[in-house]
């Protein structure tokens, strides 16, 4: 943090406000109007035009409604902040600018509401100062938009969801009582302004959903668990079968999660939004030197497609060593033993799987070992398991099958993030809810799923180029995404079919590689068998030379569901990815982001002339470029384009 401007003004009143209390964003483009009558509400405008309104903002608790129905405004304080952050893990930028105006309204019942207006969005939360704990039965907020707005969301009613549904689009005015969704979700206005529902800093409280009631979107929470499924199946043993009549029991003195809305004039302005990270709690770790982002190879599909070896591939030590050799050859940082290395007990691997030997082999090759675990296996024996993992030399974990959104599960995320940091373990959350800024507080949480990603190609055709062109504007606005890019098993629209053991990727080879830039993750995983990558060595070397963290991100071009083009910088080198949906497309853009006076060598993988019908067809090219040059690219149906633009003065 290099620069901090803090201005605070206090106003005191004991009046029930009849006139709205206004808050402006630093650039004065956004206006937030807060009203307190019998209920609390706020309205957001952009350059004087209505964007949305939130009514009935309150918590119903065992000690009454907060804030109280007739609670008067006691005090108003205003704060302005302008500062820089340097994140431990550079997901999008090495320096993150934070600039907001904050309004804090304290009511006579001592409940406070904090509202922040950023140039790129608005957020609000409750703060309570009470000595005694209390129970929250229900939280309400009713969102209203122009009924002609498009609402793009994952239609989902399942409290055991893994957030892997496809995105659907409905007019706000056409939503019915059957429509529910998890976050994030996108609202697009008739004049093309965009808003993304987000939530941040979820601590000891359930995760927010949205539910349509009387034609309007209301926040929804799943109640606290009362009983669980009792089976020997470690995938779903703690699935909830009965719930209590409340959503949370909380400390009296605390702040509640931020209800945030990213706001942009154009679709592409969402691609660099980091509101979720900014609203997360600051890092709690003193030593973060051990946290290392990197490419990850995992054995889930890889062990099923190995050829040209003298051993039987499968769940055994010999297969693991073969994959570690592959990882070492291509400079891949982590090797993950996925589901199957144990049969329910994390302390006892299956016969033929020597974890201590595998970990030692990893160390000898400069590769870090990760292990897959399920939530049920870990939740009540965390210390015992982590102590054993430390003895084995494990450096990371992939935690799967949480698939819940209640207060108890949120506590688990925080506990496992904190305890894994004690044992210097990085984390990849699968079967998870969307990012909420936890990676800022515990940067060892490198990535998470919470999206329909590549693995779904084994059972469905939903992970299409249209889906790929939607993710950056919704799910990835919330934070890093474990999409699993980089398959070499590419298929055109007419030739694709789901194959469970060896899934194909929809779209071209260049599209698949470009997703490694489009979908950012400090822990990028890849799906194919080593034999496949060895056979495609030119593309493999290109793919694994790409960074997974970024010093700067520039959105170039894009429209939800149609196409995306993004440039990201690592050091003095730039990396550009572009993809399209099932429509072929021509794009042109200028290299105005390059440094003046420097010369660059650009390595390109683009769609081959026959890529629309033979998706594996690609062309590799090298050319010289400089600042101000313009590139013209032809994207095939489901196509892509990716470039490494390497500064020559550093070489």
């Amino acid at each position: 943090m290099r620069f901090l401007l803090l201005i605070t003004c206090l106003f005191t009143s004991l009046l029930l406000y009849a006139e709205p209390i206004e808050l402006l964003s630093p650039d004065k483009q956004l206006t937030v109007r807060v009203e307190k009558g019998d209920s609390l509400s706020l309205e957001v405008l952009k350059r004087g035009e209505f964007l949305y309104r939130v009514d009935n903002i309150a918590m119903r608790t065992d000690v009454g409604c907060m804030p109280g129905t007739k609670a008067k405004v006691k005090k108003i304080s205003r704060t302005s902040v302008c500062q820089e952050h340097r994140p431990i893990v550079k997901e999008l930028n090495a320096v993150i600018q934070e600039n907001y105006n904050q309004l804090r309204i304290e009511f006579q019942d001592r409940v406070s509401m904090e509202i922040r207006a950023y140039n790129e969005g608005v957020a609000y939360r409750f703060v309570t100062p009470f000595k005694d704990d209390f129970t929250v039965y229900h939280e309400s907020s009713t969102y209203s938009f122009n009924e002609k707005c498009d609402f793009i969301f994952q239609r989902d009613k399942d409290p055991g969801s893994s957030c892997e549904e496809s995105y659907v689009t409905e007019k706000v005015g056409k939503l019915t009582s059957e429509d529910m969704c998890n976050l994030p979700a996108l609202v697009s206005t008739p004049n093309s302004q965009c808003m993304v529902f987000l939530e941040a800093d979820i601590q000891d409280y359930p995760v927010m959903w949205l539910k349509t009631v009387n034609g309007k979107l209301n926040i929804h929470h799943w109640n606290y668990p009362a009983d669980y499924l009792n089976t020997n199946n470690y995938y779903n043993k703690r699935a909830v079968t009965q719930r209590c009549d409340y959503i949370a029991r909380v400390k009296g003195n605390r702040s509640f999660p931020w209800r945030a809305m990213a706001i942009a004039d154009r679709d592409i302005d969402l691609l660099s939004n980091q509101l979720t990270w900014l609203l997360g709690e600051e890092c709690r770790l003193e030593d973060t030197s051990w946290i290392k982002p990197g490419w990850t190879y995992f054995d889930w599909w890889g062990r099923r497609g190995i050829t040209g070896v003298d051993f039987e591939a499968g769940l055994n030590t010999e297969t693991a060593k073969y994959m570690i050799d592959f990882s070492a050859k291509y400079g891949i940082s982590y090797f993950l033993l996925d589901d199957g290395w144990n049969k329910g007990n994390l302390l006892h691997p299956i016969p033929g799987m020597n974890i201590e030997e595998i970990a030692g082999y990893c160390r000898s090759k400069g590769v870090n070992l990760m292990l897959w675990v399920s939530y049920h296996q870990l939740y009540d024996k965390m210390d015992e398991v982590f102590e054993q993992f430390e003895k084995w030399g494990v450096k990371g974990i992939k935690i799967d099958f949480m698939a819940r959104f209640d207060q108890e599960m949120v506590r688990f995320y925080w506990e496992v993030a904190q305890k894994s940091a004690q044992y210097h373990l990085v984390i990849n959350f699968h079967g998870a809810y969307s990012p909420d800024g936890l990676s800022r507080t515990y940067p060892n949480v490198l990535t998470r799923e919470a999206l329909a990603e590549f693995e779904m190609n084994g059972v469905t055709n939903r992970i299409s180029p249209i889906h790929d062109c939607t993710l950056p504007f919704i799910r990835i606005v919330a934070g890093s995404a474990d999409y699993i890019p980089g398959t070499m098993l590419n298929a055109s629209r007419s030739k694709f079919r789901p194959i469970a053991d060896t899934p194909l990727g929809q779209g071209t080879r260049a599209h698949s590689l470009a997703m490694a830039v489009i979908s950012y993750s400090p822990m990028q995983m890849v799906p194919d068998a080593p034999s496949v990558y060895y056979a495609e060595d030119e593309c493999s070397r290109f793919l694994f030379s790409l960074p997974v963290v970024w010093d700067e991100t520039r959105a170039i071009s894009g429209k939800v569901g149609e196409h995306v083009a993004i440039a990201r910088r690592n050091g003095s080198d730039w990396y550009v990815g572009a993809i399209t949906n099932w429509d072929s497309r021509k794009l042109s853009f200028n290299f105005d982001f390059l440094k003046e006076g420097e010369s660059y060598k650009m390595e390109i993988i683009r769609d081959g002339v026959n890529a629309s019908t033979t998706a594996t067809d690609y062309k590799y090219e090298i050319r010289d470029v400089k600042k101000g040059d313009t590139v013209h690219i032809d994207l095939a149906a489901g196509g892509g384009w990716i470039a490494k633009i390497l500064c020559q003065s550093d070489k």
Side-chain angles (χ1 to χ4, degrees):
M1 187 184 301
R2 295 188 307 178
F3 175 66
L4 173 64
L5 175 64
L6 183 64
I7 305 172
T8 302
C9 302
L10 298 178
F11 302 90
T12 302
S13 175
L14 287 178
L15 297 176
L16 191 64
Y17 268 72
E19 296 297 324
I21 308 166
E22 287 199 350
L23 176 70
L24 299 178
S25 60
D27 64 4
K28 297 180 171 54
Q29 299 294 297
L30 289 173
T31 301
V32 184
R33 292 176 179 166
V34 184
E35 300 175 28
K36 178 64 174 81
D38 289 342
S39 64
L40 180 62
S41 63
L42 65 82
E43 187 174 74
V44 178
L45 303 93
K46 184 81 179 269
R47 291 184 291 273
E49 293 187 9
F50 172 82
L51 290 181
Y52 67 96
R53 181 180 176 86
V54 192
D55 290 302
N56 305 314
I57 304 171
M59 292 187 294
R60 183 169 61 85
T61 78
D62 62 343
V63 291
C65 185
M66 297 183 182
T69 304
K70 298 297 184 180
K72 298 178 181 179
V73 174
K74 179 181 178 182
K75 182 168 65 176
I76 298 172
S77 59
R78 295 180 182 271
T79 303
S80 294
V81 171
C82 181
Q83 59 187 352
E84 290 181 347
H85 302 282
R86 297 184 180 275
I88 304 301
V89 176
K90 301 178 293 184
E91 295 182 1
L92 287 182
N93 296 286
V95 178
I96 303 174
Q97 303 290 337
E98 182 172 34
N99 190 9
Y100 66 84
N101 293 327
Q102 177 171 294
L103 176 69
R104 182 183 175 106
I105 304 172
E106 182 181 340
F107 299 97
Q108 203 170 13
D109 59 4
R110 300 174 64 205
V111 175
S112 295
M113 183 186 192
E114 293 180 345
I115 308 105
R116 289 185 184 176
Y118 293 80
N119 294 336
E120 62 270 25
V122 172
Y124 73 88
R125 68 176 177 182
F126 285 124
V127 179
T128 56
F130 306 123
K131 178 181 178 181
D132 297 327
D133 298 352
F134 61 91
T135 300
V136 182
Y137 293 112
H138 175 70
E139 181 182 346
S140 63
S141 287
T142 301
Y143 287 81
S144 302
F145 301 87
N146 182 328
E147 64 178 13
K148 295 181 180 179
C149 289
D150 286 329
F151 186 51
I152 308 176
F153 63 107
Q154 290 185 336
R155 181 176 279 129
D156 197 351
K157 290 183 173 182
D158 185 3
S161 172
S162 293
C163 304
E164 295 177 335
E165 296 300 318
S166 299
Y167 288 102
V168 297
T169 303
E170 297 284 359
K171 294 294 182 185
V172 168
K174 298 293 185 181
L175 294 173
T176 72
S177 59
E178 296 297 309
D179 288 319
M180 287 183 66
C181 69
N182 52 67
L183 301 188
L186 172 69
V187 178
S188 180
T189 71
N191 62 355
S192 300
Q193 290 180 323
C194 299
M195 294 167 278
V196 177
F197 278 95
L198 300 168
E199 186 177 25
D201 200 22
I202 311 169
Q203 297 190 44
D204 198 24
Y205 202 75
V207 178
M208 171 179 158
W209 279 46
L210 293 170
K211 182 177 182 179
T212 306
V213 179
N214 297 324
K216 295 184 179 181
L217 290 166
N218 287 253
I219 66 172
H220 172 81
H221 295 97
W222 299 103
N223 286 17
Y224 197 88
D227 202 2
Y228 309 91
L229 192 65
N230 187 17
T231 72
N232 291 323
N233 185 337
Y234 61 82
Y235 297 115
N236 65 357
K237 184 170 183 178
R238 285 185 62 79
V240 178
T241 58
Q242 188 174 346
R243 294 185 181 273
C244 302
D245 65 350
Y246 59 87
I247 65 171
R249 285 182 172 156
V250 299
K251 298 292 184 183
N253 188 3
R254 61 164 294 168
S255 58
F256 287 80
W258 289 102
R259 283 73 180 86
M261 191 77 78
I263 300 172
D265 284 332
R266 304 173 300 163
D267 296 16
I268 64 169
D269 295 330
L270 293 170
L271 303 180
S272 54
N273 190 292
Q274 291 193 265
L275 198 57
T276 303
W277 189 94
L278 288 169
L279 292 168
E281 183 186 320
E282 293 187 6
C283 182
R284 292 185 181 181
L285 304 181
E286 293 184 7
D287 176 22
T288 58
S289 61
W290 54 275
I291 299 172
K292 306 295 184 185
W295 282 94
T296 303
Y297 184 75
F298 72 127
D299 70 335
W300 179 250
W301 294 296
R303 63 182 183 247
R304 295 171 169 85
I306 294 173
T307 60
V309 298
D310 298 325
F311 58 87
E312 184 176 350
L315 287 164
N316 54 59
T317 300
E318 198 163 10
T319 301
K321 287 184 174 181
Y322 172 79
M323 293 178 174
I324 294 164
D325 287 337
F326 163 78
S327 300
K329 172 181 172 64
Y330 286 105
I332 297 171
S333 301
Y334 293 92
F335 167 62
L336 166 66
L337 281 173
D338 211 277
D339 185 13
W341 69 270
N342 74 88
K343 288 302 180 184
N345 189 330
L346 295 174
L347 304 178
H348 299 287
I350 61 172
M353 186 72 76
N354 188 324
I355 300 299
E356 190 171 5
E357 182 179 346
I358 291 169
Y361 196 72
C362 275
R363 286 193 296 274
S364 72
K365 296 292 184 175
V367 177
N368 298 299
L369 177 64
M370 293 183 65
L371 295 179
W372 179 96
V373 303
S374 76
Y375 155 67
H376 165 66
Q377 293 174 296
L378 189 62
Y379 86 98
D380 63 349
K381 53 180 75 71
M382 211 174 291
D383 284 312
E384 183 182 10
V385 169
F386 287 170
E387 286 172 9
Q388 181 60 60
F389 283 10
E390 184 177 51
K391 292 176 183 177
W392 281 337
V394 176
K395 301 299 182 183
I397 51 177
K398 174 184 171 183
I399 310 174
D400 210 342
F401 292 104
M402 283 86 70
R404 280 170 40 200
F405 305 83
D406 51 67
Q407 182 187 30
E408 182 185 61
M409 182 54 71
V410 171
R411 287 172 178 163
F412 172 79
Y413 277 71
W414 282 79
E415 181 184 10
V416 76
Q418 184 267 325
K419 288 202 177 229
S420 65
Q422 291 179 13
Y423 292 90
H424 287 190
L425 295 168
V426 295
I427 296 177
N428 179 348
F429 282 123
H430 266 229
Y433 58 79
S434 290
D436 66 327
L438 180 60
S439 62
R440 179 181 182 182
T441 315
Y442 289 104
N444 56 310
V445 178
L446 288 180
T447 194
R448 68 174 74 188
E449 193 182 34
L451 76 159
E453 38 91 342
F454 175 82
E455 70 174 341
M456 302 295 289
N457 282 316
V459 294
T460 180
N461 64 356
R462 294 192 288 116
I463 316 305
S464 69
I466 300 170
H467 176 75
D468 294 346
C469 290
T470 302
L471 288 172
F473 303 97
I474 306 178
R475 163 60 183 84
I476 298 176
V477 176
S480 61
D482 189 15
Y483 173 86
I484 313 179
T487 183
M488 306 294 169
L489 304 175
N490 317 107
S492 63
R493 191 174 196 173
S494 62
K495 295 178 181 177
F496 175 81
R497 64 192 188 282
I499 305 174
D501 284 349
T502 53
L504 306 174
Q506 298 184 59
T508 69
R509 172 69 55 80
H511 181 110
S512 173
L513 297 179
M515 284 301 293
V517 172
I518 299 295
S519 64
Y520 73 86
S521 172
M523 179 172 277
Q524 290 279 27
M525 298 207 300
V526 289
D528 299 343
S531 307
V532 175
Y533 288 112
Y534 283 139
E536 300 287 351
D537 183 65
E538 183 174 67
C539 287
S540 299
R541 284 186 285 107
F542 190 102
L543 175 67
F544 297 125
S545 70
L546 300 174
V548 297
V549 291
W550 308 102
D551 293 309
E552 186 178 354
T553 292
R554 297 275 192 99
I556 297 175
S557 179
K559 187 171 179 58
V560 178
E562 294 187 5
H563 77 281
V564 191
I566 301 175
R568 305 192 195 274
R569 179 175 62 82
N570 180 282
S572 56
D573 300 329
W574 284 87
Y575 302 80
V576 182
I579 60 172
T580 184
N581 57 15
W582 286 125
D583 296 327
S584 59
R585 195 177 306 273
K586 295 181 183 294
L587 294 178
S588 298
F589 48 85
N590 188 280
F591 291 135
D592 57 358
F593 49 80
L594 298 181
K595 190 174 181 180
E596 188 72 50
E598 293 285 1
S599 60
Y600 295 84
K601 189 169 293 293
M602 181 168 66
E603 299 180 35
I604 302 167
I605 288 183
R606 62 173 177 84
D607 293 328
V609 66
N610 296 305
S612 291
T613 54
T614 305
T616 54
D617 187 30
Y618 74 93
K619 183 73 172 178
Y620 173 78
E621 297 176 339
I622 300 177
R623 67 178 75 163
D624 295 326
V625 294
K626 64 182 183 304
K627 183 180 178 66
D629 286 354
T630 297
V631 64
H632 305 281
I633 62 177
D634 291 318
L635 301 176
W641 186 92
I642 184 169
K644 298 189 295 186
I645 307 174
L646 308 178
C647 182
Q648 294 306 290
S649 63
D650 295 343
K651 306 299 182 283

